[in-house]
Amino acid sequence: MRLSRTGTSAVVRKKRGERGLNTRQQVSATGPRGPVPGLAVFPLAGQQGVRAAGEVGLTTRAIWEGVLEQAVREDEDVYYLELSEVTFVDVAGADALATAAGRLRDGRKFVVRRPPAALRRTLDLLWPGQTGIEVST
């Protein structure tokens, strides 16, 4: 059997004399289990804050925590987190957000725009009434 790659697909072909059919399956660049989740962060135009895309989890937590740490150091009263392109935030990522919000000086807050539904539910369940976080839809 021989494996040949074409883009993000792999084609498995039988050698002469082998039984079986040719099959096609998706194989990521990082292996058969799929790509490692990523998180991309971009500054917001005209506002203090960032737009993020991807996932917040174990492999991207350092990026997320760095963004939040930078936000805590900023001087603006409102720091926007545009999360409409974020597909997942784990509980540790929600905890990092709540912890950072707790470190904001009085009168400052994070405005979290269009977060994944699971993040909204996690914040409501584990950090109800957190004054440093405003979630907008």
Side-chain angles (χ1 to χ4, degrees):
M1 191 177 304
R2 183 177 93 222
L3 178 69
S4 64
R5 290 188 183 266
T6 57
T8 59
S9 297
V11 179
V12 180
R13 293 194 168 94
K14 63 181 179 175
K15 289 183 184 176
R16 182 175 274 156
E18 278 187 329
R19 292 182 185 213
L21 300 173
N22 290 345
T23 59
R24 180 178 282 270
Q25 66 186 48
Q26 290 298 111
V27 178
S28 74
T30 59
R33 291 190 177 181
V36 174
L39 181 65
V41 177
F42 310 94
L44 281 175
Q47 293 180 320
Q48 191 67 28
V50 296
R51 177 178 58 87
E55 296 182 7
V56 176
L58 182 61
T59 59
T60 61
R61 190 162 308 122
I63 298 167
W64 179 243
E65 289 174 348
V67 165
L68 296 172
E69 180 61 34
Q70 179 64 35
V72 168
R73 288 187 292 215
E74 296 290 330
D75 238 3
E76 300 294 321
D77 289 338
V78 177
Y79 194 88
Y80 295 94
L81 298 168
E82 170 58 56
L83 303 182
S84 61
E85 295 180 53
V86 172
T87 58
F88 175 75
V89 177
D90 67 4
V91 174
D95 177 58
L97 176 58
T99 300
R103 294 177 46 217
L104 294 171
R105 67 172 166 69
D106 287 341
R108 291 191 64 215
K109 66 181 174 182
F110 289 111
V111 173
V112 182
R113 292 183 180 154
R114 295 177 278 191
L119 174 60
R120 198 171 321 136
R121 287 190 303 270
T122 302
L123 291 172
D124 288 343
L125 179 66
L126 300 177
W127 294 277
Q130 170 63 274
T131 57
I133 302 173
E134 177 185 315
V135 178
S136 69
T137 52

